[in-house]
Amino acid sequence: MPAMNQPAIRVADLLPPDHPLVDGRTTEAPLLRAAAGRSVPHTPVWFMRQAGRSLPEYRRVREGVAMLESCFTPELVVEITHQPVRRHGVDAAIFFSDIVVPLRAIGLDLDIVPGVGPVVAEPIRDAAGVAALRPLVEDDVAPVLTAVRMLTAADGPLVGTPLIGFAGAPFTLASYLIEGGPSRDHARTKALMYGEPALWHALADRLAGIAGAFLRMQVLAGASAVQLFDSWAGALPAADYEALVLPHVRTALDAVADLATAHGVPRILFGVGTGELLATMSSAGSEVMGVDFRVPLDVAAGRVRPGAGLQGNLDPAVVMAPPAVVAARVEAVLAQARRSGRGHVFNLGHGVLPDSDPEVLTRIVEQVHAAGPVPGVDDTPDPGPW
Ligand code: CP3
């Protein structure tokens, strides 16, 4: 209930009337219900990297088109985002893009090299480099937002399937910018963080501003949920994460906090190898915590803040195992989720591996759906006035 003197935030104040969360197309979607801990007719399921090389139809439309070029071509983004929804019947679409897209959009000279990942021409290691990171404005990502609008229009391909917008979190983005490309040990990044904390905070603050702005733009354009990828955060000890990274993750998530409160837009925070970080990461306030495959969901529940939902966490490598093994492992994840007592969004513990058989992914979706209804906080009997 709103406080006495504060007017309640009205739904129409923040999102346009044709937004799927305002006209009601996605308000009761299993993804949103589960993220809020409410009962669901079946556990919602989607896969990180569901749009990608595991799909022959993806490889076909990407032929001869560079990754970043495809990210700025609305018709391609719409088609690729829709492909896994069409094929697998997943409960969410993840927007086809990349974490470096907003950085490219503000003019950084970077590319995504096949088989490697993002590569930055001039790594950022000093104050002048940080100063080049200007704030992101809508015009920078106009074709990207056009794709979001096309996907989520009332007559668009997603109909009632929620679109998840996403951004890279400050540490993960900074690692690519400081190292100049993918890194196993993030050595230069850590050296800068620990050796020049003021420079680090300036860099991370700018990246948090860009990530937060990008998340907000995607929701305003039609996304119903967001995920912040702090993929490489697991490289850090908890104390360093808390002092040097967490404040910036909070800044990025805070950029959409009003949309989470007023419209129930769930904010999902995910990283790899973050078992030791789940408690501190969860204090950033995300509605849902992504859990990688190393920590059972019922164990993760003891680490994340009360009320937060869980997303995960089948090992992506299990998808390559024989069908009976896949089925048993999927059931194990569902059982751990039930024991956790938290809202659960089924996913892999990291992205789909490119060699995965897409038919196995479809079978996983069918199995998760066939497992049936899950109770939620709305089922808890009213304890009465005592
Ligand atoms: O389906 C989805 O999940 C949506 C699309 C998506 C992509 N990248 C498309 C992509 C998402 C959510 C991302 C995020 C991303 N990008 C992350 C965070 C997620 C994670 O994996 O932890 C990171 C670290 C990146 C950086 C990046 N971009 C890497 C490491 C790579 C792989 C390089 C390679 O070729 O192996 C990319 C390229 C990339 N992003 C591809 C896709 C489909 C492959 C490009 C291709 O098909 O040629």
Side-chain angles (χ1 to χ4, degrees):
M1 205 204 244
M4 284 299 268
N5 300 325
Q6 279 182 346
I9 304 172
R10 280 183 311 132
V11 160
D13 288 343
L14 296 170
L15 295 178
D18 58 347
H19 190 286
L21 283 173
V22 178
D23 68 22
R25 274 176 287 144
T26 57
T27 1
E28 298 301 321
L31 176 82
L32 275 86
R33 293 188 62 91
R38 293 154 74 206
S39 61
V40 281
H42 57 74
T43 298
V45 47
W46 69 280
F47 305 112
M48 292 182 273
R49 285 280 165 93
Q50 65 189 19
R53 281 177 302 203
S54 66
L55 300 184
E57 60 270 34
Y58 169 80
R59 296 197 296 269
R60 215 171 305 126
V61 298
R62 277 287 318 284
E63 243 167 65
V65 189
M67 176 65 190
L68 279 173
E69 190 191 337
S70 65
C71 293
F72 286 92
T73 309
E75 292 73 20
L76 261 184
V77 172
V78 169
E79 165 60 18
I80 294 172
T81 302
H82 188 217
Q83 282 176 350
V85 178
R86 214 157 57 204
R87 178 192 268 264
H88 302 307
V90 281
D91 295 282
I94 175 89
F95 189 62
F96 177 73
S97 188
D98 195 85
I99 54 169
V100 296
V101 159
L103 302 178
R104 176 74 220 137
I106 60 163
L108 289 197
D109 186 357
L110 57 84
D111 200 3
I112 297 179
V113 179
V116 176
V119 174
V120 182
E122 285 177 52
I124 292 183
R125 293 168 189 165
D126 57 21
V130 171
L133 287 172
R134 65 164 174 83
L136 182 76
V137 296
E138 289 208 5
D139 273 357
D140 299 322
V141 282
V144 174
L145 300 178
T146 297
V148 174
R149 288 190 197 96
M150 287 165 69
L151 279 160
T152 58
D155 58 354
L158 293 184
V159 196
T161 304
L163 177 70
I164 303 173
F166 74 91
F171 175 76
T172 294
L173 289 176
S175 174
Y176 286 107
L177 294 181
I178 296 167
E179 308 286 340
S183 165
R184 191 176 294 271
D185 47 24
H186 311 277
R188 281 182 183 273
T189 310
K190 290 184 183 183
L192 191 148
M193 284 175 90
Y194 302 149
E196 296 179 80
L199 181 62
W200 162 259
H201 283 298
L203 170 60
D205 184 57
R206 288 193 180 222
L207 294 173
I210 291 166
F214 194 40
L215 293 177
R216 190 172 185 86
M217 287 172 199
Q218 292 173 77
V219 175
L220 294 182
S224 293
V226 293
Q227 178 155 326
L228 189 64
F229 282 95
D230 209 352
S231 299
W232 314 139
L236 295 171
D240 293 329
Y241 184 90
E242 190 162 351
L244 295 160
V245 176
L246 182 67
H248 305 294
V249 169
R250 210 174 258 140
T251 300
L253 291 176
D254 279 355
V256 284
D258 56 341
L259 299 167
T261 307
H263 294 283
V265 175
R267 295 170 295 171
I268 309 166
L269 177 60
F270 170 78
V272 183
T274 50
E276 295 293 326
L277 302 182
L278 287 174
T280 173
M281 284 177 85
S282 183
S283 72
S286 69
E287 281 68 34
V288 177
M289 181 57 61
V291 182
D292 88 350
F293 53 86
R294 293 168 182 86
V295 184
L297 292 177
D298 48 340
V299 175
R303 301 180 186 176
V304 306
R305 68 174 179 81
L310 300 173
Q311 176 174 281
N313 71 346
L314 185 75
D315 187 337
V318 166
V319 173
M320 316 280 206
V325 175
V326 177
R329 294 285 185 135
V330 168
E331 180 46 42
V333 169
L334 290 171
Q336 286 156 6
R338 280 194 294 273
R339 276 201 296 281
S340 79
R342 304 297 186 106
H344 176 221
V345 178
F346 192 100
N347 205 314
L348 303 181
H350 197 184
V352 172
L353 298 168
D355 291 335
S356 304
D357 176 352
E359 286 176 20
V360 176
L361 296 173
T362 305
R363 279 204 300 275
I364 292 173
V365 173
E366 288 165 358
Q367 183 182 348
V368 171
H369 286 175
V374 183
V377 287
D378 46 334
D379 293 322
T380 310
D382 185 345
W386 308 278

